Amino acid sequence: MDVLTSPAQMHAWRTKVTGSVGLIPTMGYLHDGHLSLVRASRQRDTATVASIFVNPTQFGPGEDFERYPRSEADDLRLLEEAGVAAVYLPSAAAMYPDRYQTYVEVEEVTRRLEGEHRPGHFRGVTTVVLKLFNAVQPGRAYFGRKDAQQLRVIRRMAEDLDLAVEVVPCPIVREADGLAMSSRNIYLTQAERAAAPVIFRRLRVAGAAWAAGERRAEALREIVLRGLASEPLATVEYVSLADDVTLEEREGIVAGPALLSVVVRFGRTRLLDNLELV
Ligand code: PAF
């Protein structure tokens, strides 16, 4: 497995590779969710590249950039075992040298949900993802459905900018008790970790109501909210039932597909999850 630490090194590696290249963009501290993306790429692509870069431009002031968990040696070992051909591991100075001033902004689909609660977040995400695409030049790039809005924003960018990259969505990977895997789960105290599966339990109750024919947006949101309100360690940031593509909030009677998404805080930890209602 090759490790490349600058755009120039990555380009040089890429010119020697023929066949399809799949990219798994990550911020490291890898878990089985990331490795499932590697497996998806390995089934389809000739060579799989994973990137590890904790991207400063997607963190707002007061967010967890400084304390974001890092585990480079373990990550490299896991990626090598998973059969990745190369790891792109650029430094912040290589990605954002002095006098850097170019950013990518996707408009409407970034305005609500995470965009509203984390101003500037998606500008950082789309900028770094486009830079990663440029460095690696993948034919496919793999993203988890847990970051549902991120997936839609990147798809929009790829389509709008005519990028020759297929954005491949992959299923959410969960712990045995239903908690969606996330590098940030490590921040949870023991009590918070024990309580956190309430998120997916409530999404499933709403999913069952949907399957039984409930189509009232307010009632579906309320099923999730009510259950979360009964968990004293949980503080709900939002529960949204939105159009699956535009992410406009739905009201009244909803026809599928729709995205039911939530953000819940446990102490200082912000957890995202969602369920696609089809
Ligand atoms: O989902 C993530 O880990 C990050 O937002 C990404 C796509 C690697 C960009 O920094």
Side-chain angles (χ1 to χ4, degrees):
M1 183 176 79
D2 296 315
V3 178
L4 300 320
T5 58
S6 69
Q9 280 182 18
M10 190 66 240
H11 281 141
W13 185 91
R14 183 64 182 87
T15 56
K16 287 186 250 147
V17 176
T18 51
S20 66
V21 170
L23 171 65
I24 320 298
T26 84
M27 297 205 298
Y29 207 72
L30 302 180
H31 50 67
D32 203 46
H34 299 111
L35 297 178
S36 74
L37 306 180
V38 172
R39 289 192 288 272
S41 166
R42 293 221 49 220
Q43 280 171 9
R44 301 172 72 175
D45 301 310
T46 318
T48 298
V49 176
S51 63
I52 301 177
F53 180 63
V54 185
N55 173 37
T57 64
Q58 71 187 74
F59 290 80
E63 291 189 353
D64 58 344
F65 174 66
E66 298 298 341
R67 66 182 185 121
Y68 195 84
R70 290 157 168 94
S71 60
E72 200 175 293
D74 286 346
D75 288 349
L76 291 175
R77 181 181 48 76
L78 287 169
L79 292 172
E80 178 137 46
E81 284 168 9
V84 160
V87 178
Y88 183 37
L89 192 76
S91 65
M95 289 297 262
Y96 301 110
D98 285 351
R99 295 190 297 281
Y100 186 89
Q101 40 189 297
T102 304
Y103 293 88
V104 181
E105 290 220 40
V106 174
E107 299 197 339
E108 281 168 24
V109 71
T110 61
R111 293 214 173 111
R112 298 197 52 262
L113 308 175
E114 290 306 276
E116 196 176 327
H117 288 79
R118 302 183 67 191
H121 169 66
F122 285 121
R123 177 182 188 253
V125 169
T126 43
T127 299
V128 81
V129 168
L130 184 60
K131 285 172 69 70
L132 296 170
F133 284 0
N134 284 337
V136 178
Q137 295 166 42
R140 298 189 187 92
Y142 297 78
F143 294 88
R145 290 185 183 274
K146 183 175 78 67
D147 295 305
Q149 189 174 13
Q150 169 172 282
L151 176 62
R152 284 153 182 81
V153 169
I154 290 168
R155 263 198 195 137
R156 184 81 261 143
M157 173 179 77
E159 207 175 309
D160 289 353
L161 297 183
D162 311 314
L163 304 181
V165 182
E166 181 190 348
V167 175
V168 184
C170 295
I172 298 176
V173 179
R174 299 182 179 280
E175 304 286 356
D177 59 11
L179 179 64
M181 287 193 186
S182 162
S183 305
R184 289 186 167 102
N185 291 351
I186 190 76
Y187 299 151
L188 296 167
T189 65
Q190 223 177 353
E192 290 164 352
R193 174 64 189 81
V198 68
I199 302 173
F200 187 51
R201 279 204 302 277
R202 293 318 295 181
L203 286 172
R204 286 179 61 189
V205 175
W210 172 269
E214 178 61 85
R215 291 292 181 274
R216 293 168 302 160
E218 197 47 47
L220 290 160
R221 282 190 290 262
E222 188 53 33
I223 290 171
V224 181
L225 268 171
R226 206 181 328 122
L228 292 172
S230 67
E231 171 47 62
L233 294 178
T235 306
V236 178
E237 208 166 277
Y238 63 77
V239 174
S240 159
L241 182 63
D243 181 274
D244 190 57
V245 176
T246 64
L247 299 183
E248 287 298 316
E249 199 64 18
R250 292 279 189 83
E251 303 299 341
I253 301 299
V254 174
L259 180 73
L260 182 60
S261 63
V262 309
V263 170
V264 183
R265 281 185 188 275
F266 284 82
R268 293 168 66 201
T269 311
R270 208 170 166 269
L271 299 180
L272 285 73
D273 205 345
N274 68 78
L275 194 66
E276 291 179 15
L277 302 176
V278 289

